[in-house]
């Protein structure tokens, strides 16, 4: 196994990338459906909220991966 150099970023696993892509796809699909085929205002609002929630989840997952990558030992004092 090769050693990681200091400051070299750890790449995300394949399943993390697939999960991120799936969340982006579902979020964009919700926005597109809200813009095109939603027949009522209630359905349009639901799809927009679903898209916003999915994109929020994506941002949270990316943030958790980024900060975990920066400090693999976790926060000090734990």
């Amino acid at each position: 196994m090769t050693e990681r150099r200091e400051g070299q970023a750890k790449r995300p696993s394949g399943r993390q990338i697939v999960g991120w892509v799936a969340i982006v796809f579902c979020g964009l699909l919700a926005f597109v459906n809200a813009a095109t085929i939603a027949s009522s205002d209630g359905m349009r609002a639901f799809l927009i909220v679903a898209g916003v929630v999915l994109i929020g989840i994506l941002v949270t997952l990316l943030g958790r991966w980024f900060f975990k990558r920066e400090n693999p030992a976790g926060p000090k004092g734990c």
Side-chain angles (χ1 to χ4, degrees):
M1 196 155 171
T2 60
E3 297 275 334
R4 250 193 330 152
R5 285 183 247 140
E6 188 65 35
Q8 184 179 7
K10 180 180 179 275
R11 295 185 63 199
S13 68
R15 73 179 174 182
Q16 283 177 316
I17 294 171
V18 169
W20 295 340
V21 170
I23 291 172
V24 168
F25 177 75
C26 291
L28 291 177
L29 189 63
F31 287 131
V32 168
N33 284 337
T36 57
I37 65 171
S39 57
S40 68
D41 289 338
M43 182 59 118
R44 188 169 290 125
F46 171 77
L47 288 171
I48 290 172
V49 169
V52 168
V53 167
L54 286 168
I55 299 303
I57 290 170
L58 175 70
V59 169
T60 302
L61 289 173
L62 288 173
R64 287 180 61 190
W65 171 77
F66 180 77
F67 290 113
K68 183 178 176 184
R69 175 182 65 98
E70 290 294 316
N71 188 5
K76 292 187 178 193
C78 290

